[in-house]
């Protein structure tokens, strides 16, 4: 298929590489064009604008940082909808909200295209390996048209109509934030008790509350490795989306608000560009811990 991929961040560049390896003709675009150098060397074409990238494509994929970026790239001046052909499938794999997904569907539909919201679960390693979980919202026909492209990046699961992919992703990210902050909090508490933190992780992993995220992120905390797979700033962005969606439903989420407050502390302390496990630094500071 003839594919455009727009947005080559930590995840997007790896995902686009898998599309190219899957045998699709690939055009890429990114605000910082140098991020496309490796893809271009591997056979991709670099476009100078979203419109140029989208022109004549069967599938256009966006993987962007936030609502403003999605709106700018898809419906802004020189955006995707100004250049797509009738029947083009536009797939937004960013993490935004349901309202944005529905707004993009309307704009793409007016231009004669089909829209799918398909955010992903997974970080850098599954993005590189093409094993992401892809939660697709949209009409079955649209999802089937773009399935050969999506399956280069991971396993596709349809979760409903447009907007439901984003809804499912927000549910997952809310749970993940609870798990990450919970682990960071109890590790600092255990250290105050005088427990060995490695022992804590091993006991957690052996018991009923074990989870891959605890093993992976707990080990990073112990090593002081905060190189970002998924940044605290993005985690904070997603929790704000969760709270806004919940408020729109009249559904209170006091634990989610508490997590957002903790994440705000982490960003205020300058940790926004670090991996989400760097939230541990907030709890360590509160616990009076000092790293050697």
């Amino acid at each position: 298929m003839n594919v455009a991929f727009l947005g080559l961040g930590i995840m997007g560049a790896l995902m686009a590489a898998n599309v190219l390896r899957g045998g699709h003709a690939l055009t890429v675009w990114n605000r910082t064009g140098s991020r496309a150098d490796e893809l271009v060397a591997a056979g991709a074409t670099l476009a100078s604008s979203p419109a140029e990238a989208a022109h004549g494509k069967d599938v256009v994929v966006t993987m962007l940082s936030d609502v403003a970026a999605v709106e700018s790239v898809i419906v802004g001046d020189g955006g995707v909808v100004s250049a797509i052909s009738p029947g083009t499938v536009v797939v937004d794999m960013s993490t935004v909200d349901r309202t944005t997904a529905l707004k993009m569907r309307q704009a793409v539909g007016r231009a004669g295209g089909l829209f799918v919201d398909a955010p992903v679960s997974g970080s850098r390693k599954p993005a590189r390996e093409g094993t992401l979980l892809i939660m697709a919202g949209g009409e079955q026909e649209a999802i089937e048209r773009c399935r050969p492209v999506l399956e280069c990046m991971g396993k596709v699961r349809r979760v409903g109509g447009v907007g439901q992919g984003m809804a499912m992703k927000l549910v997952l990210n809310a749970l993940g934030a609870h798990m990450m902050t919970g682990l960071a909090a109890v590790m600092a508490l255990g250290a105050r008790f005088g427990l060995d933190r490695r022992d804590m992780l091993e006991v957690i992993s052996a018991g009923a509350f074990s989870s891959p995220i605890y093993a992976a992120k707990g080990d990073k905390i112990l090593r002081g490795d905060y190189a970002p797979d998924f940044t605290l700033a993005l985690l904070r962005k997603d929790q704000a989306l969760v709270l806004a969606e919940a408020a729109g439903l009249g559904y209170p989420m006091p634990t989610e608000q508490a997590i957002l407050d903790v994440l705000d502390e982490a960003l205020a302390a300058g940790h926004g560009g670090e991996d989400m496990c760097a939230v541990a630094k907030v709890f360590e500071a509160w616990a009076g811990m000092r790293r050697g």
Side-chain angles (χ1 to χ4, degrees), residues 10-11 14 122-130 132 227-230:
I10 291 174
M11 297 284 286
L14 299 171
S123 56
R124 187 181 306 187
K125 184 173 184 289
R128 180 181 296 110
E129 295 172 349
L132 294 164
D229 292 319
F230 186 78

Side-chain angles (χ1 to χ4, degrees), residues 18-264:
N18 283 326
V19 173
L20 188 60
R21 279 192 287 269
H24 300 283
L26 184 67
T27 298
V28 295
W29 174 86
N30 194 69
R31 290 190 189 281
T32 303
S34 60
R35 292 194 64 88
D37 288 349
E38 289 188 16
L39 288 164
V40 171
T45 299
L46 178 63
S48 62
S49 70
E52 181 184 332
H55 179 72
K57 301 301 187 292
D58 302 307
V59 176
V60 177
V61 179
T62 55
M63 183 63 174
L64 303 161
S65 59
D66 54 29
V67 170
V70 169
E71 291 184 343
S72 174
V73 168
I74 296 180
V75 300
D77 291 341
V80 167
V81 296
S82 69
I84 59 173
S85 305
T88 297
V89 183
V90 178
V91 186
D92 184 26
M93 304 187 79
S94 318
T95 298
V96 290
D97 54 12
R98 296 179 304 160
T99 301
T100 300
L102 293 170
K103 181 178 177 180
M104 296 305 103
R105 179 187 66 179
Q106 291 178 342
V108 170
R110 286 194 296 267
L114 301 171
F115 182 79
V116 174
D117 60 305
V120 303
S121 177
S123 56
R124 187 181 306 187
K125 184 173 184 289
R128 180 181 296 110
E129 295 172 349
T131 57
L132 294 164
L133 172 60
I134 301 171
M135 297 156 283
E139 296 300 323
Q140 189 70 48
E141 175 192 359
I143 292 171
E144 292 308 314
R145 284 198 197 180
C146 63
R147 184 180 291 275
V149 176
L150 297 181
E151 287 185 341
C152 294
M153 297 178 272
K155 182 179 179 180
V156 182
R157 177 165 182 156
R158 182 176 184 262
V159 296
V162 171
Q164 294 304 88
M166 296 303 173
M168 188 67 78
K169 178 61 185 294
L170 292 181
V171 166
L172 284 186
N173 278 16
L175 178 60
H178 278 73
M179 294 174 74
M180 187 67 258
T181 55
L183 177 67
V186 299
M187 285 183 70
L189 175 64
R192 283 297 302 268
F193 284 153
L195 294 172
D196 180 84
R197 295 193 301 165
R198 177 64 66 185
D199 284 347
M200 278 190 281
L201 278 181
E202 290 177 357
V203 169
I204 290 169
S205 295
F209 303 129
S210 64
S211 168
I213 194 173
Y214 294 154
K217 297 304 184 182
D219 187 63
K220 282 176 70 75
I221 291 170
L222 293 189
R223 290 186 283 110
D225 174 12
Y226 301 114
D229 292 319
F230 186 78
T231 67
L232 271 174
L234 288 174
L235 187 67
R236 194 268 175 209
K237 180 266 293 185
D238 291 349
Q239 305 324 299
L241 290 174
V242 170
L243 277 172
E245 290 278 7
L249 298 170
Y251 177 61
M253 294 189 73
T255 57
E256 183 73 9
Q257 182 60 60
I259 288 168
L260 189 66
D261 293 343
V262 171
L263 295 175
D264 282 341

